[in-house]
Amino acid sequence: MPTRTMPTERQRRLGAELRKMRLAAGRTTEYAAGLLGLDRTKVSNMEAGIRATSPERIRVLASNYDCADQAYVEALVAMADSRKRGWWEQYRGILPQGLLDVAELEWFAEKLRSLQTVHVPGLLQLSGYARAVFDSALPPLPKSEVELRVAQRMQRQQVLERERPVEYVAYVHELALRMQFGGRRTAREQLHHLCEMSEHDNVDVRVLPVEVGVFPGAGHAVLYASAAVPQLDTVQLDSAHGGEFTHAEAQLAKYRAHMDWWHAKSLDQQASRDFIHRIAQAL
């Protein structure tokens, strides 16, 4: 039997939104199946992200679910209409799916914000620094996988350089700047690169000094991806066992509050660049 491809995080999210819309309208899967000329199982698979759907079907469902939020509906249509295979698909089956899901999330985001307390954000890493980060994994990764992960991480960074670059705000704790992944030379080169990237119009790097003291979100690296409409925002959390995605409104509100706190307490753009330069010079 052919192997069923696991749905991507984006596909699961689209399905979850369709289910949420149906439940808000008080409709059953049988009702949705009748609208689309499908059986109930296929509708359930569509809402689980296992079965693809079309923009036309989304519009049919939204209309019959009395969803009046046209911007939200069009954002769902855009998710269903992303038929072109992204560059990250070349890594499918050879790297963990979570890495591909992060790349896809970043690619379609309207704005990205991240919190980092241990290392420089992946979107701003040099290859030598990224290699040192992956080399520190336990159990150790095979050298071939390390190189694949480095290559994939470098390709992720094209969202900052493409024709319509994403707006990116990176909040970095001072301790992350002082962690010498790859040794002093690699760390120094990385810090200089961080300053250079912060000069880009779409990149805002802000440092949270140690002297600020305790801070929210200390246990996680957090990526907040803003979508075309707020209802489709997503948070991705890094952990030792891989990335986790959440889009529950309470969780989104929590991490927005974290981002706002860091923004208020961190140094501004120029002060952050000066701070990073001083650490680099000390190396």
Side-chain angles (χ1 to χ4, degrees):
M1 293 180 64
T3 302
R4 173 176 289 178
T5 302
M6 290 181 61
T8 68
E9 179 62 28
R10 186 172 172 84
Q11 290 168 338
R12 285 192 291 267
R13 181 63 186 279
L14 175 58
E17 293 298 320
L18 294 178
R19 181 174 185 274
K20 185 190 300 183
M21 192 192 305
R22 175 177 61 77
L23 292 177
R27 299 298 187 178
T28 64
T29 52
E30 288 85 355
Y31 177 82
L35 290 174
L36 302 179
L38 303 173
D39 60 48
R40 178 183 174 183
T41 300
K42 290 180 179 178
V43 171
S44 296
N45 287 341
M46 185 176 69
E47 293 182 350
I50 298 172
R51 180 184 176 87
T53 189
S54 67
E56 293 75 18
R57 283 177 169 171
I58 289 177
R59 289 194 172 97
V60 167
L61 292 174
S63 175
N64 285 275
Y65 293 162
D66 296 326
C67 180
D69 190 337
Q70 196 58 35
Y72 172 65
V73 173
E74 290 306 314
L76 295 179
V77 166
M79 292 177 73
D81 202 27
S82 303
R83 299 190 181 104
K84 184 178 179 182
R85 289 168 60 87
W87 63 263
W88 50 87
E89 290 296 331
Q90 65 186 291
Y91 295 97
R92 189 162 301 283
I94 56 177
L95 284 180
Q97 181 163 311
L99 297 180
L100 280 60
D101 286 337
V102 171
E104 187 175 39
L105 178 67
E106 293 168 341
W107 185 261
F108 289 105
E110 296 291 320
K111 179 180 179 179
L112 295 169
R113 290 183 289 171
S114 68
L115 307 178
Q116 292 288 348
T117 60
V118 177
H119 52 67
V120 168
L123 286 179
L124 301 174
Q125 290 179 7
L126 291 172
S127 59
Y129 184 95
R131 186 173 292 107
V133 171
F134 290 128
D135 276 337
S136 68
L138 289 176
L141 297 169
K143 289 298 181 183
S144 58
E145 182 170 343
V146 168
E147 292 308 314
L148 282 171
R149 287 180 179 232
V150 170
Q152 194 255 3
R153 177 156 292 182
M154 295 303 101
Q155 284 185 270
R156 278 173 51 197
Q157 297 175 5
Q158 63 186 291
V159 299
L160 301 177
E161 305 282 356
R162 65 192 182 188
E163 184 176 351
R164 183 174 172 270
V166 71
E167 181 183 348
Y168 181 40
V169 183
Y171 301 106
V172 187
H173 196 275
E174 178 184 343
L175 292 178
L177 302 175
R178 296 189 182 278
M179 295 285 284
Q180 295 181 22
F181 285 99
R184 294 170 69 90
R185 180 177 178 179
T186 297
R188 183 172 61 249
E189 291 174 348
Q190 177 60 70
L191 293 180
H192 285 313
H193 178 69
L194 191 60
C195 288
E196 291 171 5
M197 291 300 299
S198 72
E199 297 282 359
H200 291 211
D201 291 340
N202 61 307
V203 178
D204 183 358
V205 177
R206 293 177 179 257
V207 175
L208 185 72
V210 168
E211 64 188 29
V212 171
V214 296
F215 55 93
H220 297 284
V222 181
L223 174 67
Y224 192 106
S226 298
V229 293
Q231 301 98 305
L232 297 179
D233 287 0
T234 301
V235 164
Q236 186 260 334
L237 306 172
D238 274 345
S239 66
H241 58 272
E244 300 177 8
F245 297 84
T246 182
H247 46 79
E249 179 50 42
Q251 293 298 313
L252 293 177
K254 170 184 175 180
Y255 288 108
R256 283 196 298 270
H258 283 193
M259 298 287 173
D260 292 344
W261 188 95
W262 278 61
H263 194 88
K265 298 293 184 178
S266 61
L267 304 177
D268 65 26
Q269 288 178 282
Q270 187 57 54
S272 291
R273 276 193 288 270
D274 294 341
F275 194 96
I276 297 169
H277 275 304
R278 288 197 296 272
I279 296 177
Q281 288 171 354
L283 292 173

